[in-house]
Amino acid sequence: MYTNFKYRTPETREQCLDCVLNSGGSGFLKGVIGGSTFYFFKSLCSSPTHIAPACHAVLLNAPRVGGKVAAWYALDRAVNYALYSVRQKNDPWNGIAAPAISSGLLSLCRRSLRPSACFTMFGALIGTVREVGLSI
């Protein structure tokens, strides 16, 4: 369940924390569903007659993908609220900068500047598409 931040401003810190946790939970759900589908069909394509290895690939990889997506969703929402509290404005630039900053921060774990810059640009693209899609 995606709640539109554009029309919701937090009144208290508890509401912010609740929204961040809800975003992380919905991100985990989306990541597990997408990861299990992807890894099931990926394993099924490599050995089309065996379903057991495909199910094993889902059990191994889907929680990992879900955790990564949950971290991105939660960090995106936290950065969005942080930008709102620092700038005291709730405009589309917060929604564009939040995915860029969160993607850049999560990609810094790889300790390389080039992937971090690429993921930051990708996050800005996601934020732009999300903000343009919300205004239509």
Side-chain angles (χ1 to χ4, degrees):
M1 178 175 101
Y2 178 75
T3 57
N4 190 355
F5 180 76
K6 194 173 191 177
Y7 303 109
R8 253 180 115 232
T9 56
E11 285 82 23
T12 63
R13 286 186 180 179
E14 288 79 22
Q15 288 179 347
C16 290
L17 182 62
D18 190 39
C19 249
V20 168
L21 292 176
N22 283 341
S23 291
S26 67
F28 183 77
L29 181 66
K30 291 173 186 176
V32 165
I33 290 171
S36 62
T37 306
F38 175 77
Y39 282 106
F40 181 77
F41 285 117
K42 180 181 176 184
S43 179
L44 201 61
C45 286
S46 65
S47 62
T49 59
H50 298 84
I51 293 181
C55 293
H56 186 66
V58 167
L59 288 175
L60 288 178
N61 295 313
R64 179 179 49 87
V65 174
K68 287 182 179 182
V69 175
W72 189 83
Y73 268 70
L75 188 60
D76 177 42
R77 185 55 59 107
V79 168
N80 206 343
Y81 280 133
L83 287 173
Y84 171 71
S85 66
V86 167
R87 297 182 66 223
Q88 294 296 318
K89 283 195 275 185
N90 195 6
D91 57 355
W93 288 109
N94 291 349
I96 293 172
I101 292 170
S102 58
S103 297
L105 286 175
L106 286 176
S107 66
L108 280 177
C109 295
R110 296 189 180 113
R111 295 188 179 141
S112 179
L113 188 59
R114 187 171 180 182
S116 180
C118 291
F119 279 112
T120 302
M121 296 306 289
F122 181 68
L125 178 69
I126 288 175
T128 305
V129 167
R130 185 171 63 184
E131 287 299 320
V132 169
L134 290 177
S135 64
I136 292 178

